[in-house]
Amino acid sequence: MPATKDYYDILGIKKSASADEIKKAFRKLARKHHPDAGGSEEKFKELNEAYEVLSDPEKRAQYDQYGAYFGGAGAPGAPGAPGGPSGAPGGWPGGGGGFGYEHVDLGDLFGDIFGGGGFAGARSGTRAERTARRGRDLTYEITLGFDEAFSGVSTKVDVQRAETCSVCKGAGAKPGTSVIACPTCGGTGHVSQGQGGMFAFSRTCPRCGGSGSVIEDPCTACKGAGRVTRVKPVTVNVPPGVTDGGKLRFKGKGEPGEAGAPAGDLYVVTHIESHPYFKRDGADVVMELPITMAEAALGAEVTIPVPGGGKVKLKISSGTQDGTVHRLKGKGAPRLKGAGRGDLKVKVKVVVPSALTAEQKELLNRFASSQEDDVRAHIT
């Protein structure tokens, strides 16, 4: 039967594509459609078929020459057809009315994304090498006081993590017994499934779950897992200047790795308690400073606290308006990344009294009658 598939279109390449371009196109599409990666088995078979032909110079030349008749016995002058060269009867080399598919070196093509294999015959290395896994990263949250976040603190975090079982030393088997190679997969962790003689897919062994071994007499302490969950206090040094919602990384303080692999990391998310009058704005600290109408009008010198302890004097100029911001350089929080400190930003809030004595009312009335400027002249 004449072939109707356009192999160039299947791989998304031009007919002038080089061998390297063909291989790159196949790698890209095969990663997407490989069944072990959740793709379509039919689509992958189609990609494999196209690559099998176009990656072979002789088969590609035959495909380019005979086009739709490629693989069939009806192409004029085709091998095995009337007037064609002698060879395997009824089709291209390989016989049987169609060209013979060969195994593509999928281990070479996918070693970088399937950890050295994922296909029958492509896996390599010992069981210990395949099961060595880095420990999991862990994330915990802590709440700090405003001053603790400002100055830094050393604190303990109760971390729940899986650790090597002390009874079986991580083997998972009851002391005195041993782990054996899985009889279903022969210790490889994978079993092969044929696909019509064209190529074989590798599947995770259903018995050992891919570990390559089975435990017939599991450890009673860890139930065969080789690891037990424990709560262990971990001391973390929180640097000065952490912010609310910030995340700190402590390398190697997460879960221990398996089979000698490195431990994971511990991430600590910091939450900062509110302060009566200070607020953080990154490395800057914002403070609202109440002043009287008289201080705003006449000017004054007031003493204010600064974050981290201590006090400073702040000069209020005469005629200061509500909302005026005074910036005190270097009086803010330590910069978490970089040298120095942020600033203390003091925002003035002019407080208008809600109740006045008779004397105060008289004084304000006299003051109001003495004013000549119309503060609303620009809107009348």
Side-chain angles (χ1 to χ4, degrees):
M1 178 182 291
T4 58
K5 297 179 181 179
D6 185 337
Y7 292 147
Y8 291 101
D9 184 62
I10 290 172
L11 294 180
I13 56 177
K14 297 179 180 180
K15 288 188 176 181
S16 58
S18 65
D20 186 56
E21 290 173 331
I22 293 172
K23 186 174 183 178
K24 286 182 178 179
F26 175 63
R27 287 171 64 100
K28 180 179 179 180
L29 293 171
R31 285 173 177 170
K32 177 180 179 182
H33 296 288
H34 187 267
D36 284 353
S40 165
E41 186 170 311
E42 289 302 317
K43 179 64 177 178
F44 183 78
K45 289 168 64 178
E46 186 179 55
L47 290 169
N48 187 75
E49 178 182 335
Y51 179 72
E52 180 70 25
V53 173
L54 299 184
S55 63
D56 186 298
E58 182 179 352
K59 291 175 183 177
R60 182 180 181 183
Q62 294 171 350
Y63 176 73
D64 290 342
Q65 180 179 359
Y66 296 106
Y69 292 98
F70 180 75
S86 60
W92 302 106
F99 86 97
Y101 291 99
E102 299 176 1
H103 175 71
V104 178
D105 188 2
L106 300 178
D108 172 63
L109 290 174
F110 296 99
D112 57 337
I113 58 173
F114 288 105
F119 295 86
R123 297 186 61 84
S124 62
T126 66
R127 174 182 174 271
E129 291 172 334
R130 292 200 303 272
T131 58
R133 290 183 294 182
R134 177 181 177 273
R136 288 193 308 126
D137 293 338
L138 302 176
T139 301
Y140 280 79
E141 300 183 352
I142 60 173
T143 299
L144 303 173
F146 186 90
D147 291 337
E148 288 179 321
F150 194 87
S151 59
V153 66
S154 179
T155 186
K156 289 185 178 181
V157 179
D158 289 331
V159 177
Q160 179 176 294
R161 59 187 182 183
E163 297 186 346
T164 301
C165 176
S166 59
V167 176
C168 66
K169 310 302 181 185
K174 187 176 181 179
T177 66
S178 60
V179 180
I180 63 172
C182 175
T184 301
C185 63
T188 65
H190 286 71
V191 291
S192 299
Q193 178 180 343
Q195 296 293 326
M198 294 167 56
F199 51 84
F201 288 108
S202 178
R203 295 284 185 267
T204 300
C205 177
R207 181 169 181 180
C208 67
S211 68
S213 60
V214 291
I215 300 173
E216 294 187 326
D217 196 359
C219 170
T220 56
C222 63
K223 311 302 182 186
R227 294 159 74 84
V228 292
T229 300
R230 292 192 177 95
V231 176
K232 182 178 180 180
V234 176
T235 300
V236 294
N237 295 314
V238 180
V242 293
T243 57
D244 188 65
K247 180 183 285 188
L248 302 172
R249 176 192 177 207
F250 298 92
K251 188 175 181 180
K253 291 193 178 287
E255 279 196 356
E258 298 181 33
D265 299 333
L266 173 65
Y267 290 89
V268 176
V269 179
T270 55
H271 296 289
I272 313 301
E273 293 178 344
S274 60
H275 191 276
Y277 43 83
F278 288 134
K279 291 184 179 179
R280 289 285 297 275
D281 181 16
D284 293 337
V285 178
V286 180
M287 172 187 179
E288 187 174 79
L289 177 66
I291 62 173
T292 66
M293 291 191 303
E295 289 173 327
L298 301 175
E301 187 176 79
V302 297
T303 301
I304 62 171
V306 294
K311 295 182 179 181
V312 297
K313 290 184 177 181
L314 177 67
K315 182 179 179 180
I316 305 297
S317 301
S318 60
T320 293
Q321 301 298 306
D322 183 71
T324 299
V325 176
H326 296 267
R327 183 183 291 267
L328 304 183
K329 294 286 187 179
K331 296 297 183 180
R335 299 187 188 278
L336 193 57
K337 294 182 179 180
R341 292 174 175 264
D343 301 332
L344 172 61
K345 296 186 288 188
V346 182
K347 184 178 180 180
V348 171
K349 179 178 176 61
V350 179
V351 179
V352 178
S354 58
L356 296 171
T357 65
E359 182 182 4
Q360 290 171 334
K361 288 180 181 180
E362 182 182 352
L363 291 172
L364 283 175
N365 282 326
R366 289 170 57 188
F367 171 75
S369 62
S370 68
Q371 281 190 301
E372 296 180 357
D373 297 334
D374 185 355
V375 296
R376 292 181 292 277
H378 65 290
I379 61 172
T380 57

